[in-house]
Amino acid sequence: MTIQAGSLTSHMAAHIFAMSVLAPLVAWLFIQQWPRLAKQASPRLILASVLQLAILALWHSPLVMMGSMQASLLTQLGMLGLLSLAASWFWVCVLVAIANNRIWVVAPLLLTGKLVCLFAILLVFAPRALYPGMGHTLQLEDQQAAGLLMLTACPLTYVGASIYLVARWFSDLSKPEVRPDIVA
């Protein structure tokens, strides 16, 4: 089987770039520029996670996906911008929590990663094209290639951030405790 990049695969590659590269970068830059504002946003990680997942589900619904694929570039950029904004807020919350050694941030990271991977698996193993009528003959193969891209990016982004956080947390636990009342 030859994997060919079709319109859905190209669309998914742009989406993955926005979610996995652009959104964390924007979040990091936001934290650098406005650290106080970032700290105020960080307790809202659950809300940011729910919003990001809701927009992600809406974005991947057949009606919205087919509409955005056939709509103007402005519509596509608007939807991608909305998704990137939600993802950036999510990543601001995550990065601030990581900076403050909040281990509970692993749960939203893994939940988001798991749901994205489950959707990707649906794209890869669906017996038929989930987005019929997208205007090309290799719909199922294009859908499967898009799902494979998601399956690659998901673990690298969300699961990778979780592994990093847990490894850092274990590393901190293994450091000897410094007690000021004990003088050497």
Side-chain angles (χ1 to χ4, degrees), residues 18-30:
M19 297 289 291
S20 300
V21 177
L22 195 57
L25 178 63
V26 167
W28 183 79
L29 291 171
F30 182 84

Side-chain angles (χ1 to χ4, degrees), residues 8-27 29 52 56 59-60 77 79-81 83-85 87-88 91 116 146 149-154 156-158:
L8 183 60
T9 304
S10 300
H11 193 75
M12 195 61 70
H15 175 131
I16 289 168
F17 178 77
M19 297 289 291
S20 300
V21 177
L22 195 57
L25 178 63
V26 167
L29 291 171
Q52 175 181 248
L56 191 70
W59 176 261
H60 288 93
L77 289 175
M79 195 60 179
L80 199 56
L83 188 57
S84 298
L85 181 63
S88 295
W91 282 107
V116 170
L149 276 178
M150 286 178 72
L151 281 173
T152 303
C154 160
L156 291 175
T157 307
Y158 299 102

Side-chain angles (χ1 to χ4, degrees), residues 2-150:
T2 305
I3 297 177
Q4 298 182 9
S7 57
L8 183 60
T9 304
S10 300
H11 193 75
M12 195 61 70
H15 175 131
I16 289 168
F17 178 77
M19 297 289 291
S20 300
V21 177
L22 195 57
L25 178 63
V26 167
W28 183 79
L29 291 171
F30 182 84
I31 291 169
Q32 300 305 310
Q33 188 67 33
W34 297 287
R36 268 187 159 165
L37 197 55
K39 285 185 181 184
Q40 291 174 356
S42 70
R44 297 174 179 86
L45 179 58
I46 301 301
L47 183 59
S49 301
V50 169
L51 178 64
Q52 175 181 248
L53 290 172
I55 292 173
L56 191 70
L58 178 67
W59 176 261
H60 288 93
S61 69
L63 184 63
V64 173
M65 179 65 84
M66 290 188 318
S68 71
M69 295 286 290
Q70 295 171 356
S72 71
L73 180 63
L74 186 61
T75 302
Q76 291 180 20
L77 289 175
M79 195 60 179
L80 199 56
L82 179 62
L83 188 57
S84 298
L85 181 63
S88 295
W89 181 28
F90 173 81
W91 282 107
V92 164
C93 297
V94 167
L95 293 173
V96 170
I98 288 172
N100 293 314
N101 285 327
R102 305 286 190 249
I103 193 65
W104 53 265
V105 76
V106 170
L109 280 168
L110 290 178
L111 177 65
T112 302
K114 181 57 74 181
L115 291 175
V116 170
C117 285
L118 286 174
F119 181 72
I121 288 170
L122 177 65
L123 289 177
V124 172
F125 293 109
R128 61 178 178 77
L130 298 177
Y131 305 111
M134 290 187 60
H136 56 87
T137 57
L138 300 174
Q139 290 178 9
L140 185 59
E141 291 83 0
D142 185 22
Q143 174 182 298
Q144 290 169 337
L148 287 173
L149 276 178
M150 286 178 72

